[in-house]
């Protein structure tokens, strides 16, 4: 599959903190830790999207290379990002952070983005390192911090993706020399726009390959660019993150619910209608879809709160009407007779 | 009902529990049914592979029968079958990842043996994957790396066939040794190191021959990179972009040194590797470059790079036999040992035996003399001498127990036992010359070179015999230089507005920045730069402009001062510049303000952020306090800044407020000032009073410190120190017993002030013992 950039990560920290598990959890979510079976791996790759750009992450674990100086040295240098991990249930792993950090800073290129990770946050009862301590360490050394659990997958996506965002930001700022592959950043293979049949590139890990600029795609991108230029600057600061969100206005995940508000509108307009004119079936359907979807859009990727909210309203309007119908029928036991009259 | 059916008919139905033997049987069935890989069943197969690995790991930890079944049905052969077909990216990657997961997570030795038996794994290793695809390549190398982690004398026989000398894991790995991808190259090196670390006799014997070509290629790669780096050093200008490229090249090169160092720890190949290194790299390339050119065709390095590489070898590699033969040749041999040279052939290089000419054998200890000559080249600049110093430093640093051979060359090394070593007088003389060259008019000595010289001198005299003549000689020249620098500084002192800041900055730099020589060496490879635009810190380049000259002089002064003190065994008493250290107040302290003048002030950082505080000053500090609610007359310190760094400007629009900026001290990482705020007072009079107090306080604080510098430099003090008119008694935490700190210097004067005045006294009216003029800023 083609990508715009490839970022190489390394993942470091004491043995047993869960590096391999984090890696597998991120790259292959199908390994769900059930039955206390935790599985790890030392290498993995995955595609993510930042700013509408396909970015491939390659993550390399040190595993057992620590005894060779020559290996650790070069290993640090080849990476654009590093996840420095400790185990929140083992203080010694936290205490060793500074020596890891020193190593990383000494050997890596100075732009490498380092993310501090306190893993095993699911084991709250056995916690030895407070969250605040991790935060303080990160602040002191200028790192980004996150507590994760490779077991429950909490924050695992975020840890890897936020690191990528930071690298991406640095690329935009021109800090990284992207032409030097030794930095751990690689530009994607160039597709010449003139070639009519750019190879679609094998079977992807569950995505479509073609990346030709079809007319509707071009239109979409033009719209996005226009939005970036004209709408984005007008947004208040709190709303800005939403603009490029995975379910933001640049995606169908935003516009589909937006259209659904019409249903709510119609439902509210129906409030003016006398109860005997309301359809029981229609309103039951509305309430049901509303409630089902409101739940459903919290479990899909990307989690879509906007969709959730509109469905809540759909449910509420439907439900209100149902109540009205029920009220009518309760207070008017012979309601259907009236109808026939 | 369905389950029973499933059980009887050979697991046609998907069992519920994904971790069970049943499920594995079912999966085996799936694989059997889908022997032929087609587009529609890709997904099914991949999912089955994944699930199999999961069950196997579960079985490894919970249920032995799983592995029995796996072995019985030869399930790895299914893997192979799939692989043999034209799989494409998706399946190849998943297959490799599955194997990877499998081999990494299996814990029981017996399970591992099951997996490895039947030679299937070797078939997988030798399978022709499509390595032009970087993703497959990456998964493949991590797979072989994972395998190499599992090597030990017991498992090695699954991979290495002693009778046929077949070792696909090694041979396939070596094919990737100069891959473009850094991570792949690193993985290859890891695999090689993991393999040679296995202590198994047959294997070790095999490795001697099997690795011969590889090691030779490795050294030739080193040669190629060294020449390439040397060309870069000769041609590149000293600017930031070039230094970054340089750093990449140097790092790649030093990686190879480290790698060679790691390889040398294996006995079986150590001999052949070290003789390859000496005969292909050290002699024909490094040593050849240290003496006069003998052949027009030979590829030689600049002495700069040659010395740099030599120092890196000594710093990185500690394999004793190699280092001994290196030092033996370097310190004692003449040019007759050089019997080959590199020449250019088309776009690569080849090693050629060089006929000896008569002139070559003439000079004894040719390389050692080359080193001395390099050391002694400070007439022009210190470009070459820096690297000669690096070599001596590296010799002393080497961890390969080299004290005997160094002692033979009269170089004292702290590892030496018993025998008293004298120090080679020529080296000492050269080093002293470097120190003295700092004092020359228009000297081009960079402070870092002087610092390195001091480090080397200290190490040399550390173990030298205790007759003090050497120490004294060094101290003498150090003090000469110190005196010269002192006079330069004394002139600058009166001219430079910011001399105090410069001095304190440089002192701070010097005491906090330890020189990391194993990291810093390469930064000096490009010709000395003079301009700040080169992006180098001042101590690593020549100064440009008056202010930088002063700063450089301060650095040189401080280095020689320290060297002298070390040689004479004196303690530093004057630095850092300090006045009444014990009276220094810190944030959070609770201080007694009964006898101090307080000014109520509103500190406004921005429109929204305002704090109500009291302003106090002592001799050196500006202090903001908040009254302690529990103890009358005491207050908690919320901010402390040095008066000397404080700048005050009035506000034209508001006569009650002042803009106060307290610059941060050197060494505080945060950029920007420590405090920048508007101070709003109750009325105009108090505002004026504060302004005068702060202005004058700043003046006094600076004069005090300048006085100290004058003492240090031994020049006449024109400004007299003034004592502190405000009393601050540093107290203890509220609630605890009051502890009166004895500060006699402050006490007498402080109590003479009355604190009952509602409007604080204007400090200008108070007696000024020195009578010196006060300039308002
Ligand atoms: N409860 C819990 N356990 C975890 C978590 N992550 C990892 N573990 C456990 O921690 C152990 C070590 O995990 P690994 O991923 O192998 O650790 P590692 O950092 O890769 O260790 P090395 O490879 O030896 O450096 C495993 O037994 C996992 O079960 C987590 O988030 N929560
Ligand atoms: Mg691991």
């Amino acid at each position: 599959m083609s990508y715009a950039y490839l970022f190489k990560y390394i993942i470091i920290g004491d043995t047993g903190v869960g590096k391999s598990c984090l890696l597998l959890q991120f790259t292959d979510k199908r390994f769900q830790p059930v039955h206390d079976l935790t599985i790890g791996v030392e290498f993995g790759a995955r595609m993510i999207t930042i700013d509408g750009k396909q970015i491939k992450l390659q993550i390399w674990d040190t595993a057992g290379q620590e005894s060779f100086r020559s290996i650790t040295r070069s290993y640090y240098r080849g990476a654009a990002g590093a996840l420095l991990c400790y185990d929140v249930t083992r203080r010694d792993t936290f205490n060793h952070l500074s020596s890891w950090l020193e190593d990383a800073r000494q050997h890596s290129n100075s732009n490498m983005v380092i993310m501090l990770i306190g893993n095993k946050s699911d084991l709250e009862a056995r916690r030895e390192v407070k969250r605040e301590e991790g935060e303080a360490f990160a602040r002191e050394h200028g790192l980004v911090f996150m507590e994760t659990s490779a077991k429950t997958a909490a924050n695992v996506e975020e840890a890897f993706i936020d690191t990528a965002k930071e690298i991406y930001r640095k690329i935009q700022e021109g800090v990284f020399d992207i032409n030097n592959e030794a930095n751990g950043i690689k530009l994607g293979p160039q597709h010449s726009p003139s070639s009519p049949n750019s190879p679609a590139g094998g079977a992807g890990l569950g995505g479509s390959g073609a990346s030709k600029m079809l007319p509707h795609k071009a239109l979409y991108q033009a719209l996005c660019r226009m939005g970036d230029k004209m709408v984005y600057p007008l947004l208040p600061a709190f709303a800005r993150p939403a603009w490029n969100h995975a379910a933001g206005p640049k995606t169908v995940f935003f516009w589909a619910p937006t259209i659904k508000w019409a249903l709510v509108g119609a439902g509210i307009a129906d409030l003016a209608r006398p109860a005997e004119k309301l359809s029981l079936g229609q309103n039951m359907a509305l309430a049901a879809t509303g409630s089902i979807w409101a739940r459903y859009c919290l479990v899909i990727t990307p989690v879509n709160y906007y969709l959730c909210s509109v469905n809540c309203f759909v449910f509420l309007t439907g439900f209100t009407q149902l109540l009205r119908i029920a009220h009518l029928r309760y207070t008017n036991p012979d309601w259907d007779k009236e109808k026939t009259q | 009902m369905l389950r029973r059916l499933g059980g009887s008919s050979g697991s046609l139905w998907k069992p519920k529990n994904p971790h069970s033997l049943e499920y594995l049987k079912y999966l085996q069935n799936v694989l059997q049914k889908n022997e032929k890989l087609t587009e529609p069943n890709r997904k099914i197969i991949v999912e089955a592979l994944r699930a199999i690995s999961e069950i196997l790991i579960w079985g490894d930890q919970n249920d032995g029968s799983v592995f029995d079944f796996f072995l019985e049905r030869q399930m790895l052969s299914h893997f192979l079958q799939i692989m043999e077909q034209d799989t494409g990216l998706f399946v190849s990657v998943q297959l490799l990842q599955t194997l990877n997961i499998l081999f990494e997570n299996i814990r029981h030795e017996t399970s591992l043996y099951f997996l490895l038996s039947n030679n299937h794994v070797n078939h997988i290793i030798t399978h022709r994957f499509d390595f032009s695809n970087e993703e497959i390549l990456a998964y493949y190398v991590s797979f072989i790396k994972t395998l190499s982690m599992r090597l030990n004398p017991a498992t090695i026989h699954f991979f290495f066939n002693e009778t046929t000398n077949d070792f696909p894991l090694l041979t396939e790995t070596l094919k990737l040794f100069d891959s473009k991808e850094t991570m792949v190259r690193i993985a290859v090196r890891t695999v090689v190191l993991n393999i040679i670390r296995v202590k198994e006799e047959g294997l070790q014997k095999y490795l001697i021959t099997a690795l011969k070509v590889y090691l030779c290629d490795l050294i030739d790669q080193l040669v190629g990179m060294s020449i390439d780096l040397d060309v870069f050093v000769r041609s590149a200008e000293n600017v930031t972009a070039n230094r970054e490229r340089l750093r990449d090249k140097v790092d790649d090169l030093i990686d190879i040194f480290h790698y060679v160092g790691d390889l040398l720890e294996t006995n079986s190949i150590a001999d052949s590797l070290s003789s390859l290194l000496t005969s292909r790299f050290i002699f024909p390339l490094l040593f050849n470059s240290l003496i006069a050119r003998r052949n027009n065709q030979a590829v030689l390095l600049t002495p700069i790079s040659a010395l740099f590489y030599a120092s890196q070898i000594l710093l990185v590699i500690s394999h004793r036999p190699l280092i001994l033969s290196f030092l033996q040749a370097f310190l004692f041999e003449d040019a007759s040992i050089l019997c080959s040279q590199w020449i250019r052939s088309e776009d690569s290089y080849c090693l050629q035996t060089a006929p000896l000419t008569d002139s070559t054998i003439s000079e004894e200890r040719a390389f050692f003399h080359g080193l001395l000559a390099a050391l002694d080249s400070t007439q022009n600049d210190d470009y070459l001498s820096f690297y000669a110093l690096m070599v001596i430093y590296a010799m002393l640093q080497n961890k390969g127990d080299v004290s005997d051979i160094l002692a033979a060359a009269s170089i004292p090394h702290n590892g030496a036992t018993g025998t008293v070593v004298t120090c080679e007088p020529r080296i000492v003389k050269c080093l002293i010359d470097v120190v003295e060259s700092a004092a020359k008019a228009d000297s081009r000595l960079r402070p870092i070179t002087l610092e390195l010289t001091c480090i080397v001198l200290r190490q040399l005299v550390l173990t030298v015999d205790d007759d003090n003549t050497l120490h004294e000689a060094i101290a003498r020249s150090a003090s000469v230089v110190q005196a010269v620098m002192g006079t330069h500084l004394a002139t600058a002192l009166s001219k430079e507005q910011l001399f105090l800041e410069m001095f304190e900055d440089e002192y701070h730099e010097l005491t906090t920045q330890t020189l990391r020589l194993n990291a810093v060496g390469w930064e000096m490879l490009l010709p000395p730069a003079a301009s700040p635009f080169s992006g180098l810190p001042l101590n690593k380049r020549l100064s440009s402009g008056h202010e930088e000259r002063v700063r450089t002089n301060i650095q040189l002064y401080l280095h020689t001062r320290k060297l002298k003190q070390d040689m004479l065994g004196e303690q530093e008493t004057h630095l850092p510049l300090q006045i009444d250290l014990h009276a220094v107040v810190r944030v959070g302290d609770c201080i007694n303000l009964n006898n101090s003048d307080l000014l109520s002030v509103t500190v406004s950082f921005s429109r929204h952020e305002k704090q109500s505080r009291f302003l106090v000053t002592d001799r050196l500090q500006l202090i903001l306090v908040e009254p302690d609610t529990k103890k009358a007359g005491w207050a908690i310190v919320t901010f402390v800044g040095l008066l000397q760094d404080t700048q005050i400007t009035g506000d034209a629009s508001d006569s009650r407020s002042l803009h106060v900026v307290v610059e941060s001290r050197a060494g505080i990482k945060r950029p920007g000032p420590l405090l920048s705020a508007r101070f709003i007072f109750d009325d105009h009079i108090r505002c004026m009073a504060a302004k005068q107090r702060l202005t004058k306080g700043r003046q006094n604080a600076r004069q005090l410190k300048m006085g100290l510098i004058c003492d240090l430099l031994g020049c006449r003090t024109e400004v007299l120190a003034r004592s502190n008119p405000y009393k601050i008694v540093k107290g203890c935490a509220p609630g605890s017993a009051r502890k009166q700190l004895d500060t006699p210097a402050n006490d007498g004067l402080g109590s003479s002030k009355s604190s009952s005045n509602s409007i604080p006294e204007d400090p200008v009216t108070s007696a000024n013992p020195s009578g010196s003029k006060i300039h308002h800023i």
Side-chain angles (χ1 to χ4, degrees), chain A residues 11-23 36-42 61-64 66 85 87 89-90 119-123 126 148-153 156, chain B residues 104-105 107:
Chain A
I11 180 161
I12 52 179
D14 281 6
T15 178
V17 298
K19 301 183 292 293
S20 309
C21 291
L22 278 170
L23 207 167
D36 264 342
L37 179 70
T38 44
I39 302 179
V41 72
E42 274 148 33
D61 184 347
T62 32
E66 297 84 358
C85 309
D87 177 349
T89 66
R90 278 167 52 206
N119 190 35
K120 308 201 188 174
S121 62
D122 55 303
L123 299 175
R126 286 176 26 212
T148 62
S149 164
K151 186 152 199 170
T152 66
V156 173
Chain B
E104 172 160 6
N105 291 278
R107 291 186 206 152

Side-chain angles (χ1 to χ4, degrees), chain A residues 248-265:
Chain A
K250 289 181 180 175
T251 63
V252 69
F253 305 114
F254 176 80
W255 293 105
T258 304
I259 291 164
K260 207 165 182 182
W261 282 106
L263 277 182
V264 180

Side-chain angles (χ1 to χ4, degrees), chain A residues 293-315:
Chain A
W293 276 87
R295 171 73 191 115
Y296 179 69
C297 48
L298 295 180
V299 295
I300 52 170
T301 325
V303 172
N304 198 335
Y305 293 108
Y306 183 45
L307 184 57
C308 176
S309 66
V310 68
N311 278 307
C312 284
F313 275 95
V314 169
F315 166 73

Side-chain angles (χ1 to χ4, degrees), chain B residues 124-148:
Chain B
I124 299 171
I125 294 173
T126 46
H127 181 74
R128 307 264 121 241
F129 287 99
D130 174 18
F131 289 149
S132 62
N133 182 306
E134 63 181 357
E135 182 137 2
I136 295 184
L137 180 61
Y139 278 102
Y140 177 79
V141 293
S142 3
F143 169 58
I144 53 175
K145 198 183 84 184
T146 306
L147 287 180
S148 75

Side-chain angles (χ1 to χ4, degrees), chain B residues 71-96:
Chain B
L71 195 66
E72 205 175 289
R73 300 291 171 97
Q74 298 270 332
M75 282 187 74
L76 262 185
S77 63
H78 288 302
F79 283 38
L80 275 169
Q81 251 169 32
I82 296 167
M83 208 175 61
E84 297 297 330
Q85 304 171 42
D86 181 23
T87 49
L89 176 71
F90 186 34
V91 180
S92 297
V93 161
Q94 190 62 50
L95 196 76
L96 286 167

Side-chain angles (χ1 to χ4, degrees), chain B residues 598-610:
Chain B
L598 300 177
L599 279 171
S600 158
V601 58
T602 307
V603 182
S604 144
F605 295 99
S606 61
R607 196 172 302 160
H608 310 294
E609 212 187 332
K610 287 200 171 91

Side-chain angles (χ1 to χ4, degrees), chain A residues 80-84 101 104-105 108 112-116 142-144 163:
Chain A
L83 303 187
L84 170 56
L101 192 62
R105 288 260 157 88
S108 68
M112 184 165 84
V113 174
I114 305 180
M115 160 89 70
L116 180 66
L143 314 173
V144 194
T163 310

Side-chain angles (χ1 to χ4, degrees), chain B residues 63-212:
Chain B
D63 182 356
S65 62
V66 166
F67 262 90
D68 293 338
F69 180 83
F70 186 81
L71 195 66
E72 205 175 289
R73 300 291 171 97
Q74 298 270 332
M75 282 187 74
L76 262 185
S77 63
H78 288 302
F79 283 38
L80 275 169
Q81 251 169 32
I82 296 167
M83 208 175 61
E84 297 297 330
Q85 304 171 42
D86 181 23
T87 49
L89 176 71
F90 186 34
V91 180
S92 297
V93 161
Q94 190 62 50
L95 196 76
L96 286 167
Q97 183 71 329
T98 305
L99 290 165
N100 218 341
I101 292 175
L102 206 51
F103 280 98
E104 172 160 6
N105 291 278
I106 294 294
R107 291 186 206 152
H108 287 104
E109 286 283 294
T110 44
S111 312
L112 185 65
Y113 297 161
F114 280 152
L115 280 178
L116 290 174
S117 55
N118 282 331
N119 220 19
H120 289 321
V121 171
N122 283 329
H123 285 299
I124 299 171
I125 294 173
T126 46
H127 181 74
R128 307 264 121 241
F129 287 99
D130 174 18
F131 289 149
S132 62
N133 182 306
E134 63 181 357
E135 182 137 2
I136 295 184
L137 180 61
Y139 278 102
Y140 177 79
V141 293
S142 3
F143 169 58
I144 53 175
K145 198 183 84 184
T146 306
L147 287 180
S148 75
M149 298 289 177
R150 309 301 308 240
L151 290 179
N152 58 40
T155 53
I156 190 79
H157 296 290
F158 292 111
F159 296 94
F160 167 53
N161 185 334
E162 216 175 321
T163 45
T164 59
N165 269 350
D166 249 358
F167 195 179
L169 182 62
L170 180 67
T171 41
E172 293 301 316
T173 306
L174 292 184
K175 285 181 192 160
L176 298 171
F177 104 101
D178 58 355
S179 160
K180 301 199 302 306
E181 295 280 335
T182 26
M183 287 300 187
V184 173
R185 288 199 305 267
I186 298 170
V188 167
R189 288 182 191 176
T190 317
V191 174
V192 172
L193 287 170
N194 276 332
I195 289 175
I196 64 168
R197 203 167 52 163
V198 178
K199 295 210 164 42
E200 207 277 335
E201 219 167 292
L203 172 77
Q204 294 292 341
K205 214 180 288 159
Y206 165 79
L207 286 177
I208 296 175
T209 46
L211 286 177
K212 208 164 224 159

